[in-house]
Structures are given as C-alpha cells and as structure tokens.
Coordinates of all heavy atoms in Angstrom, one line a residue:
M514 N -3.2 0.2 7.0 CA -3.2 0.6 5.6 C -4.2 -0.3 4.8 O -4.9 0.1 4.0 CB -1.8 0.4 5.0 CG -1.8 0.7 3.5 SD -0.1 1.1 3.0 CE -0.3 0.9 1.2
V515 N -4.1 -1.6 5.1 CA -5.1 -2.5 4.4 C -6.5 -2.2 4.7 O -7.4 -2.2 3.9 CB -4.7 -4.0 4.7 CG1 -5.8 -4.9 4.2 CG2 -3.4 -4.3 4.1
G516 N -6.7 -1.8 6.0 CA -8.0 -1.4 6.4 C -8.6 -0.2 5.6 O -9.7 -0.2 5.2
S517 N -7.7 0.7 5.3 CA -8.2 1.9 4.6 C -8.4 1.5 3.1 O -9.3 2.1 2.4 CB -7.2 3.0 4.7 OG -6.0 2.7 4.0
M518 N -7.7 0.5 2.6 CA -7.9 0.0 1.3 C -9.3 -0.6 1.2 O -10.1 -0.4 0.2 CB -6.9 -1.1 0.9 CG -5.5 -0.6 0.7 SD -5.4 0.6 -0.7 CE -3.8 1.2 -0.5
A519 N -9.7 -1.4 2.2 CA -11.0 -2.0 2.3 C -12.1 -0.9 2.2 O -13.1 -1.0 1.6 CB -11.1 -2.9 3.5
G520 N -11.8 0.2 3.0 CA -12.8 1.3 3.0 C -12.9 1.9 1.6 O -14.0 2.3 1.2
L521 N -11.8 2.1 1.0 CA -11.8 2.7 -0.3 C -12.6 1.9 -1.3 O -13.4 2.4 -2.1 CB -10.3 2.7 -0.8 CG -10.0 3.6 -2.0 CD1 -10.1 5.1 -1.5 CD2 -8.5 3.4 -2.4
L522 N -12.4 0.5 -1.3 CA -13.2 -0.3 -2.1 C -14.7 -0.3 -1.8 O -15.5 -0.3 -2.7 CB -12.7 -1.8 -2.0 CG -11.3 -2.0 -2.5 CD1 -10.9 -3.5 -2.4 CD2 -11.1 -1.6 -4.0
A523 N -15.0 -0.2 -0.5 CA -16.4 -0.1 -0.1 C -17.1 1.1 -0.7 O -18.2 1.0 -1.1 CB -16.5 -0.1 1.4
Q524 N -16.3 2.2 -0.8 CA -16.9 3.4 -1.4 C -17.2 3.2 -2.8 O -18.1 3.9 -3.4 CB -15.8 4.5 -1.3 CG -15.7 5.1 0.1 CD -14.5 6.1 0.2 OE1 -14.1 6.6 -0.8 NE2 -14.1 6.4 1.4
S525 N -16.6 2.3 -3.5 CA -16.8 2.0 -4.9 C -17.8 0.8 -5.0 O -18.0 0.2 -6.1 CB -15.5 1.6 -5.6 OG -14.6 2.7 -5.4
G526 N -18.4 0.4 -3.9 CA -19.4 -0.7 -3.9 C -18.7 -2.1 -4.0 O -19.4 -3.0 -4.5
I527 N -17.5 -2.2 -3.7 CA -16.8 -3.5 -3.8 C -16.6 -4.0 -2.4 O -15.9 -3.4 -1.5 CB -15.4 -3.4 -4.5 CG1 -15.7 -2.9 -5.9 CG2 -14.7 -4.7 -4.5 CD1 -14.4 -2.6 -6.7
E528 N -17.2 -5.2 -2.1 CA -17.0 -5.8 -0.8 C -15.7 -6.6 -0.7 O -15.3 -7.3 -1.6 CB -18.1 -6.8 -0.5 CG -19.4 -6.2 0.0 CD -20.4 -7.2 0.4 OE1 -21.1 -7.7 -0.4 OE2 -20.3 -7.6 1.6
S529 N -15.0 -6.4 0.4 CA -13.7 -7.1 0.5 C -13.5 -7.5 2.0 O -14.2 -7.0 2.9 CB -12.5 -6.2 0.1 OG -12.5 -5.0 0.9
E530 N -12.6 -8.3 2.2 CA -12.4 -8.9 3.5 C -10.9 -8.9 3.8 O -10.1 -9.3 3.0 CB -12.9 -10.3 3.5 CG -13.0 -11.0 4.8 CD -13.7 -12.4 4.6 OE1 -14.9 -12.4 4.3 OE2 -13.0 -13.4 4.8
V531 N -10.5 -8.5 5.0 CA -9.1 -8.6 5.4 C -8.8 -9.9 6.0 O -9.5 -10.3 6.9 CB -8.7 -7.4 6.3 CG1 -7.3 -7.5 6.7 CG2 -9.0 -6.1 5.7
R532 N -7.7 -10.6 5.5 CA -7.4 -11.9 6.1 C -5.9 -11.8 6.6 O -5.2 -10.9 6.3 CB -7.5 -13.0 5.1 CG -8.9 -13.1 4.6 CD -9.2 -14.4 3.9 NE -10.6 -14.3 3.4 CZ -11.0 -15.2 2.5 NH1 -10.2 -16.1 2.0 NH2 -12.3 -15.1 2.0
N533 N -5.6 -12.8 7.5 CA -4.3 -12.9 8.1 C -4.0 -11.8 9.0 O -2.8 -11.6 9.4 CB -3.2 -12.9 7.0 CG -3.2 -14.2 6.1 OD1 -4.0 -15.1 6.5 ND2 -2.5 -14.2 5.1
D534 N -5.0 -11.0 9.4 CA -4.7 -9.9 10.3 C -4.4 -10.3 11.7 O -3.9 -9.6 12.6 CB -5.8 -8.8 10.3 CG -7.1 -9.4 10.6 OD1 -7.2 -10.7 10.7 OD2 -8.1 -8.7 10.9
I535 N -4.5 -11.6 11.9 CA -4.2 -12.2 13.2 C -2.7 -12.0 13.5 O -2.2 -12.0 14.6 CB -4.6 -13.7 13.3 CG1 -4.6 -14.2 14.7 CG2 -3.7 -14.5 12.4 CD1 -5.2 -15.6 14.8
L536 N -1.9 -11.9 12.4 CA -0.5 -11.8 12.6 C 0.0 -10.3 12.8 O 1.1 -10.0 13.1 CB 0.3 -12.3 11.3 CG 0.1 -13.7 11.0 CD1 0.8 -14.1 9.7 CD2 0.7 -14.6 12.1
G537 N -1.0 -9.4 12.7 CA -0.7 -8.0 12.7 C 0.0 -7.5 14.0 O 0.9 -6.6 13.9
G538 N -0.2 -8.1 15.1 CA 0.4 -7.7 16.4 C 1.7 -8.4 16.7 O 2.3 -8.1 17.7
A539 N 2.2 -9.2 15.8 CA 3.4 -10.0 16.1 C 4.5 -9.6 15.2 O 5.4 -10.4 14.9 CB 3.0 -11.5 15.9
S540 N 4.6 -8.4 14.8 CA 5.6 -8.0 13.8 C 7.0 -8.1 14.4 O 8.0 -8.2 13.7 CB 5.4 -6.6 13.3 OG 5.3 -5.7 14.3
G541 N 7.1 -8.1 15.7 CA 8.5 -8.3 16.3 C 9.1 -9.6 16.1 O 10.3 -9.8 16.1
E542 N 8.2 -10.6 15.9 CA 8.6 -12.0 15.8 C 8.8 -12.4 14.4 O 9.5 -13.4 14.1 CB 7.6 -12.9 16.4 CG 7.4 -12.7 17.9 CD 8.5 -13.3 18.7 OE1 9.0 -14.4 18.3 OE2 8.9 -12.7 19.7
I543 N 8.2 -11.7 13.4 CA 8.1 -12.2 12.1 C 8.7 -11.1 11.1 O 8.6 -9.9 11.4 CB 6.6 -12.4 11.7 CG1 6.0 -13.4 12.7 CG2 6.5 -12.9 10.3 CD1 4.6 -13.6 12.6
A544 N 9.4 -11.6 10.1 CA 10.0 -10.6 9.1 C 8.8 -9.8 8.5 O 7.7 -10.3 8.3 CB 10.7 -11.4 8.1
P545 N 9.1 -8.5 8.3 CA 8.0 -7.6 7.7 C 7.3 -8.2 6.5 O 6.1 -8.1 6.4 CB 8.8 -6.4 7.4 CG 10.0 -6.4 8.2 CD 10.4 -7.8 8.4
G546 N 8.0 -8.9 5.7 CA 7.4 -9.4 4.5 C 6.3 -10.5 4.8 O 5.5 -10.7 3.9
E547 N 6.4 -11.1 5.9 CA 5.4 -12.1 6.3 C 4.2 -11.6 7.0 O 3.3 -12.3 7.3 CB 6.1 -13.2 7.1 CG 7.2 -14.0 6.3 CD 7.9 -14.9 7.2 OE1 7.3 -15.8 7.8 OE2 9.2 -14.8 7.3
T548 N 4.3 -10.3 7.4 CA 3.2 -9.8 8.2 C 2.1 -9.1 7.3 O 1.1 -8.6 7.8 CB 3.6 -8.8 9.2 OG1 4.3 -7.7 8.5 CG2 4.6 -9.4 10.2
W549 N 2.3 -9.2 6.0 CA 1.4 -8.6 5.1 C 0.0 -9.2 5.3 O -0.1 -10.4 5.2 CB 1.8 -8.8 3.6 CG 2.8 -7.7 3.2 CD1 4.1 -7.8 3.1 CD2 2.4 -6.4 2.7 NE1 4.6 -6.6 2.7 CE2 3.6 -5.7 2.4 CE3 1.2 -5.7 2.6 CZ2 3.6 -4.4 2.0 CZ3 1.2 -4.4 2.1 CH2 2.4 -3.8 1.8
V550 N -1.0 -8.4 5.5 CA -2.3 -9.0 5.5 C -2.8 -9.0 4.0 O -2.3 -8.3 3.2 CB -3.3 -8.1 6.4 CG1 -2.8 -8.3 7.8 CG2 -3.3 -6.7 5.9
E551 N -3.8 -9.8 3.8 CA -4.3 -9.9 2.5 C -5.7 -9.3 2.4 O -6.5 -9.4 3.3 CB -4.4 -11.3 2.0 CG -3.1 -12.0 1.9 CD -3.2 -13.4 1.6 OE1 -4.3 -14.0 1.5 OE2 -2.1 -14.0 1.3
L552 N -6.0 -8.6 1.3 CA -7.3 -8.0 1.1 C -8.0 -8.9 0.0 O -7.5 -9.0 -1.1 CB -7.1 -6.6 0.6 CG -8.4 -5.7 0.6 CD1 -9.0 -5.6 1.9 CD2 -8.1 -4.4 0.0
W553 N -9.1 -9.5 0.4 CA -9.8 -10.4 -0.5 C -11.0 -9.7 -1.0 O -11.8 -9.3 -0.2 CB -10.2 -11.7 0.2 CG -9.0 -12.6 0.5 CD1 -8.0 -12.4 1.4 CD2 -8.7 -13.9 -0.1 NE1 -7.1 -13.5 1.4 CE2 -7.5 -14.4 0.4 CE3 -9.4 -14.6 -1.1 CZ2 -7.0 -15.6 0.1 CZ3 -8.8 -15.8 -1.5 CH2 -7.6 -16.3 -0.9
V554 N -11.1 -9.7 -2.3 CA -12.4 -9.2 -2.9 C -13.3 -10.3 -3.0 O -13.0 -11.4 -3.6 CB -12.1 -8.6 -4.3 CG1 -13.3 -8.2 -5.0 CG2 -11.1 -7.4 -4.2
L555 N -14.5 -10.1 -2.4 CA -15.5 -11.2 -2.3 C -16.1 -11.6 -3.7 O -16.4 -12.7 -4.0 CB -16.6 -10.9 -1.3 CG -16.1 -10.6 0.1 CD1 -17.2 -10.4 1.1 CD2 -15.1 -11.6 0.6
E556 N -16.3 -10.6 -4.5 CA -16.9 -10.8 -5.8 C -15.8 -10.9 -6.9 O -15.1 -10.0 -7.2 CB -17.9 -9.7 -6.1 CG -18.7 -9.9 -7.4 CD -19.6 -11.1 -7.3 OE1 -20.3 -11.2 -6.3 OE2 -19.4 -11.9 -8.2
T557 N -15.7 -12.1 -7.4 CA -14.6 -12.4 -8.4 C -14.6 -11.4 -9.5 O -13.5 -10.9 -10.0 CB -14.7 -13.8 -8.9 OG1 -14.9 -14.7 -7.8 CG2 -13.4 -14.2 -9.6
S558 N -15.8 -11.0 -10.0 CA -15.9 -10.2 -11.2 C -15.4 -8.7 -10.8 O -15.2 -7.9 -11.7 CB -17.3 -10.1 -11.7 OG -18.1 -9.5 -10.7
Q559 N -15.2 -8.4 -9.6 CA -14.8 -7.1 -9.2 C -13.3 -7.0 -8.9 O -12.8 -5.9 -8.6 CB -15.6 -6.6 -7.9 CG -17.1 -6.4 -8.3 CD -17.8 -6.0 -7.0 OE1 -17.6 -6.5 -5.9 NE2 -18.8 -5.1 -7.2
V560 N -12.6 -8.1 -9.0 CA -11.2 -8.1 -8.6 C -10.4 -7.2 -9.5 O -9.6 -6.4 -9.0 CB -10.6 -9.6 -8.8 CG1 -9.1 -9.6 -8.6 CG2 -11.2 -10.5 -7.7
A561 N -10.6 -7.2 -10.8 CA -9.9 -6.3 -11.7 C -10.1 -4.8 -11.3 O -9.1 -4.1 -11.2 CB -10.3 -6.6 -13.1
S562 N -11.3 -4.4 -11.1 CA -11.5 -3.0 -10.8 C -11.0 -2.7 -9.4 O -10.5 -1.6 -9.2 CB -13.0 -2.6 -10.9 OG -13.8 -3.7 -10.6
A563 N -11.1 -3.6 -8.5 CA -10.5 -3.4 -7.2 C -9.1 -3.1 -7.3 O -8.5 -2.3 -6.6 CB -10.8 -4.6 -6.3
R564 N -8.4 -4.0 -8.1 CA -6.9 -3.8 -8.2 C -6.6 -2.4 -8.8 O -5.7 -1.8 -8.3 CB -6.4 -4.9 -9.1 CG -4.9 -4.9 -9.3 CD -4.4 -6.0 -10.1 NE -4.6 -7.3 -9.4 CZ -5.0 -8.4 -9.9 NH1 -5.3 -8.5 -11.2 NH2 -5.2 -9.5 -9.2
E565 N -7.4 -2.0 -9.8 CA -7.1 -0.7 -10.4 C -7.3 0.5 -9.3 O -6.6 1.4 -9.3 CB -8.1 -0.4 -11.5 CG -7.6 -1.1 -12.8 CD -8.5 -0.9 -14.0 OE1 -9.2 0.1 -14.0 OE2 -8.6 -1.8 -14.8
I566 N -8.4 0.3 -8.5 CA -8.6 1.3 -7.5 C -7.5 1.4 -6.5 O -7.0 2.5 -6.2 CB -10.0 1.0 -6.8 CG1 -11.2 1.2 -7.7 CG2 -10.1 1.9 -5.5 CD1 -12.4 0.7 -7.2
I567 N -7.0 0.3 -6.1 CA -5.9 0.3 -5.2 C -4.6 0.8 -5.8 O -3.9 1.6 -5.2 CB -5.7 -1.2 -4.6 CG1 -6.9 -1.5 -3.7 CG2 -4.4 -1.3 -3.9 CD1 -6.9 -2.9 -3.1
L568 N -4.3 0.4 -7.0 CA -3.1 0.9 -7.6 C -3.2 2.4 -7.8 O -2.2 3.1 -7.6 CB -2.9 0.2 -9.0 CG -2.5 -1.3 -8.9 CD1 -2.3 -1.8 -10.3 CD2 -1.1 -1.4 -8.2
A569 N -4.4 2.9 -8.2 CA -4.5 4.3 -8.4 C -4.3 5.1 -7.1 O -3.7 6.1 -7.0 CB -5.9 4.6 -9.0
S570 N -4.8 4.5 -6.0 CA -4.7 5.2 -4.7 C -3.2 5.1 -4.2 O -2.8 6.1 -3.6 CB -5.6 4.5 -3.7 OG -5.0 3.4 -3.1
L571 N -2.5 4.1 -4.6 CA -1.1 4.0 -4.2 C -0.2 5.0 -5.0 O 0.8 5.5 -4.5 CB -0.5 2.6 -4.4 CG -1.1 1.5 -3.5 CD1 -0.5 0.2 -3.9 CD2 -0.7 1.8 -2.0
K572 N -0.7 5.3 -6.2 CA 0.1 6.3 -7.0 C -0.2 7.7 -6.6 O 0.6 8.6 -6.9 CB -0.3 6.1 -8.5 CG 0.5 4.9 -9.1 CD 0.1 4.8 -10.6 CE 0.5 3.5 -11.2 NZ -0.3 3.2 -12.4
Q573 N -1.3 7.9 -6.0 CA -1.7 9.3 -5.7 C -0.7 9.9 -4.7 O -0.6 9.5 -3.6 CB -3.1 9.2 -5.1 CG -4.0 10.3 -5.6 CD -5.5 10.0 -5.2 OE1 -5.7 9.8 -4.0 NE2 -6.4 9.9 -6.1
P574 N -0.1 11.0 -5.2 CA 0.9 11.6 -4.2 C 0.1 12.4 -3.2 O -0.9 13.0 -3.4 CB 1.6 12.6 -5.1 CG 0.8 12.8 -6.3 CD -0.1 11.6 -6.5
E575 N 0.6 12.3 -1.9 CA 0.0 13.1 -0.9 C 0.8 14.4 -0.7 O 1.9 14.5 -1.2 CB 0.1 12.3 0.4 CG -0.9 11.1 0.4 CD -0.8 10.3 1.7 OE1 -0.4 10.8 2.7 OE2 -1.1 9.1 1.6
D576 N 0.2 15.3 0.0 CA 0.9 16.6 0.3 C 2.3 16.3 0.9 O 2.4 15.5 1.9 CB 0.1 17.4 1.2 CG -1.1 18.1 0.5 OD1 -1.1 18.0 -0.7 OD2 -1.9 18.7 1.2
G577 N 3.3 16.9 0.3 CA 4.6 16.8 0.9 C 5.4 15.6 0.4 O 6.6 15.5 0.7
D578 N 4.8 14.8 -0.4 CA 5.6 13.7 -1.0 C 6.6 14.3 -2.0 O 6.4 15.4 -2.6 CB 4.6 12.8 -1.8 CG 3.9 11.9 -0.9 OD1 4.0 12.0 0.3 OD2 3.2 11.0 -1.5
W579 N 7.7 13.6 -2.1 CA 8.7 14.1 -3.1 C 9.3 13.0 -3.8 O 9.2 11.8 -3.4 CB 9.8 14.9 -2.3 CG 10.4 14.2 -1.2 CD1 9.9 14.1 0.1 CD2 11.6 13.4 -1.2 NE1 10.8 13.3 0.9 CE2 11.8 12.9 0.1 CE3 12.6 13.1 -2.2 CZ2 12.9 12.1 0.4 CZ3 13.7 12.3 -1.9 CH2 13.8 11.8 -0.6
Q580 N 9.8 13.3 -5.0 CA 10.4 12.2 -5.8 C 11.9 12.3 -5.8 O 12.5 13.4 -5.9 CB 9.8 12.4 -7.2 CG 10.1 11.2 -8.1 CD 9.5 11.4 -9.5 OE1 9.3 12.5 -9.9 NE2 9.3 10.3 -10.2
C581 N 12.5 11.2 -5.6 CA 14.0 11.2 -5.6 C 14.6 11.6 -6.9 O 14.1 11.1 -8.0 CB 14.4 9.8 -5.2 SG 16.2 9.6 -5.2
G582 N 15.5 12.5 -6.9 CA 16.1 12.9 -8.1 C 17.1 11.9 -8.7 O 17.5 12.0 -9.9
R583 N 17.4 10.9 -7.9 CA 18.4 10.0 -8.4 C 17.8 8.7 -9.0 O 18.1 8.2 -10.0 CB 19.4 9.6 -7.3 CG 20.4 8.6 -7.7 CD 21.4 8.4 -6.6 NE 22.1 7.1 -6.6 CZ 22.9 6.6 -5.7 NH1 23.0 7.3 -4.5 NH2 23.4 5.5 -5.8
C584 N 16.8 8.1 -8.2 CA 16.2 6.9 -8.6 C 14.8 7.0 -9.0 O 14.1 6.0 -9.4 CB 16.4 5.8 -7.5 SG 15.4 6.1 -6.0
D585 N 14.2 8.2 -8.8 CA 12.8 8.5 -9.2 C 11.8 7.8 -8.4 O 10.6 7.8 -8.7 CB 12.6 8.1 -10.7 CG 13.1 9.1 -11.7 OD1 13.5 10.2 -11.2 OD2 13.3 8.8 -12.8
E586 N 12.2 7.3 -7.2 CA 11.2 6.7 -6.3 C 10.4 7.8 -5.6 O 11.0 8.9 -5.3 CB 11.8 5.8 -5.3 CG 12.3 4.4 -5.8 CD 11.1 3.6 -6.3 OE1 9.9 3.8 -5.8 OE2 11.3 2.7 -7.1
A587 N 9.2 7.6 -5.3 CA 8.4 8.5 -4.6 C 8.6 8.3 -3.1 O 8.7 7.2 -2.6 CB 6.9 8.3 -4.9
N588 N 8.8 9.4 -2.3 CA 9.0 9.3 -0.9 C 8.0 10.1 -0.2 O 7.6 11.2 -0.6 CB 10.4 9.8 -0.6 CG 11.5 8.9 -1.0 OD1 11.9 8.0 -0.3 ND2 12.0 9.1 -2.2
P589 N 7.5 9.7 1.0 CA 6.6 10.5 1.8 C 7.3 11.7 2.4 O 8.6 11.7 2.5 CB 6.2 9.5 3.0 CG 6.8 8.2 2.6 CD 7.9 8.4 1.6
G590 N 6.6 12.7 2.6 CA 7.2 14.0 3.1 C 7.9 13.9 4.4 O 8.8 14.6 4.7
S591 N 7.5 12.8 5.2 CA 8.2 12.6 6.5 C 9.6 12.0 6.3 O 10.3 12.0 7.3 CB 7.3 11.7 7.3 OG 7.1 10.5 6.7
F592 N 9.9 11.6 5.1 CA 11.3 11.0 4.9 C 12.2 12.1 4.5 O 12.0 12.9 3.6 CB 11.2 9.9 3.8 CG 10.6 8.6 4.2 CD1 9.7 8.5 5.2 CD2 11.0 7.4 3.6 CE1 9.1 7.3 5.6 CE2 10.4 6.2 3.9 CZ 9.5 6.2 4.9
E593 N 13.4 12.1 5.2 CA 14.4 13.1 4.8 C 15.3 12.6 3.8 O 16.0 13.3 3.0 CB 15.1 13.6 6.0 CG 14.2 14.5 6.9 CD 14.9 14.9 8.2 OE1 16.1 14.7 8.3 OE2 14.2 15.5 9.0
I594 N 15.5 11.3 3.7 CA 16.3 10.7 2.7 C 15.5 9.7 1.9 O 14.5 9.1 2.4 CB 17.5 9.9 3.3 CG1 17.1 8.8 4.3 CG2 18.4 11.0 4.0 CD1 18.2 7.9 4.7
C595 N 15.9 9.4 0.7 CA 15.2 8.4 -0.1 C 15.2 7.1 0.5 O 16.3 6.6 0.8 CB 15.8 8.4 -1.5 SG 15.1 7.1 -2.6
W596 N 14.1 6.4 0.6 CA 14.0 5.1 1.2 C 14.7 4.1 0.3 O 15.2 3.0 0.8 CB 12.6 4.7 1.5 CG 11.8 4.5 0.2 CD1 10.9 5.4 -0.4 CD2 11.7 3.3 -0.7 NE1 10.4 4.9 -1.5 CE2 10.8 3.7 -1.7 CE3 12.3 2.1 -0.6 CZ2 10.5 2.7 -2.8 CZ3 12.0 1.2 -1.6 CH2 11.1 1.5 -2.7
N597 N 14.8 4.4 -0.9 CA 15.4 3.4 -1.9 C 16.9 3.5 -2.0 O 17.6 2.5 -1.9 CB 14.7 3.6 -3.2 CG 15.1 2.5 -4.2 OD1 15.1 1.3 -3.9 ND2 15.4 2.9 -5.4
C598 N 17.4 4.7 -2.2 CA 18.8 4.8 -2.4 C 19.5 5.6 -1.3 O 20.8 5.7 -1.3 CB 19.1 5.4 -3.8 SG 18.6 7.1 -4.0
G599 N 18.8 6.2 -0.4 CA 19.4 6.8 0.7 C 20.0 8.2 0.6 O 20.6 8.7 1.5
I600 N 19.8 8.8 -0.6 CA 20.3 10.2 -0.7 C 19.2 11.2 -0.1 O 18.0 11.0 -0.2 CB 20.6 10.6 -2.1 CG1 19.4 10.6 -3.0 CG2 21.7 9.6 -2.7 CD1 19.6 11.4 -4.3
P601 N 19.7 12.3 0.5 CA 18.8 13.3 1.0 C 18.0 14.0 -0.2 O 18.6 14.2 -1.2 CB 19.7 14.3 1.7 CG 21.1 13.7 1.7 CD 21.1 12.7 0.7
G602 N 16.8 14.2 0.1 CA 16.0 14.8 -1.0 C 15.0 15.8 -0.6 O 14.6 16.6 -1.4
N603 N 14.5 15.7 0.6 CA 13.3 16.6 1.0 C 13.8 17.9 1.3 O 14.4 18.2 2.4 CB 12.6 15.9 2.1 CG 11.2 16.6 2.3 OD1 10.7 17.3 1.5 ND2 10.6 16.3 3.4
G604 N 13.5 18.9 0.5 CA 13.9 20.3 0.7 C 15.3 20.5 0.4 O 16.0 21.0 -0.2
Ligands
ZN1725 ZN1 16.4 7.4 -4.5

C-alpha cells in the first residue's frame, strides 16, 4: 500500500522514499502497529501537498465500498461486517 502511495506521489512530481520496509516480512513477530512503513517526501516544500494527495486517495471510495449505517465508517466491499463495530452491512 505504501508502495502505491509512492507511485501516486510520483505521478504528481513528488519524490518520496519508503523506509522501514525491512520489517515488512516480519509481521508475524511484530504487532501490526509497528510494521508500518514510512513514506518520506524528499522535498520538504512538497510535504503538505503530498499529504493532501494521500489523504484524498484514502478518502476515495472504491467500487463496492460501503458505509456502515451505525458508525459511518467506510468498509471495503470485501468486508461483510463493519470492521469498526462489527455489524453486517454489505448488501
Ligand atoms: Zn460500523
């Protein structure tokens, strides 16, 4: 996912670098929260726009996404129950 973010930024002319990806293969040993890789924007002046691009891409609903009627969280179409509150919602 971080790799695709880097690609997205590259399309906008923003150079970035993925760090900490050395931990990517060790998720069995490490809590998920610690396996997050970091995306570093090389040009400091581009950090703000890079952040906006990424936030916008995260908000973009994909086909089949659905929104939970109870907590309003967005869920991927592959989820049958809300990841946040656990109620069935898809279809
Ligand atoms: Zn929910």
Side-chain angles (χ1 to χ4, degrees):
M514 176 161 167
V515 170
S517 67
M518 291 296 172
L521 197 67
L522 293 182
Q524 284 172 20
S525 307
I527 299 176
E528 276 190 273
S529 61
E530 189 178 293
V531 177
R532 300 198 184 165
N533 292 351
D534 56 349
I535 195 169
L536 297 176
S540 55
E542 296 284 325
I543 302 170
E547 294 174 57
T548 59
W549 274 100
V550 295
E551 294 178 352
L552 191 61
W553 287 71
V554 175
L555 302 187
E556 185 60 54
T557 314
S558 63
Q559 292 179 321
V560 169
S562 31
R564 183 175 293 139
E565 277 178 30
I566 290 168
I567 288 176
L568 287 179
S570 80
L571 290 176
K572 279 182 196 162
Q573 224 167 53
E575 289 177 26
D576 283 351
D578 283 6
W579 54 276
Q580 191 177 25
C581 178
R583 180 174 158 191
C584 69
D585 283 345
E586 283 295 337
N588 288 274
S591 57
F592 284 27
E593 289 178 6
I594 59 170
C595 173
W596 64 266
N597 186 45
C598 67
I600 67 162
N603 195 13

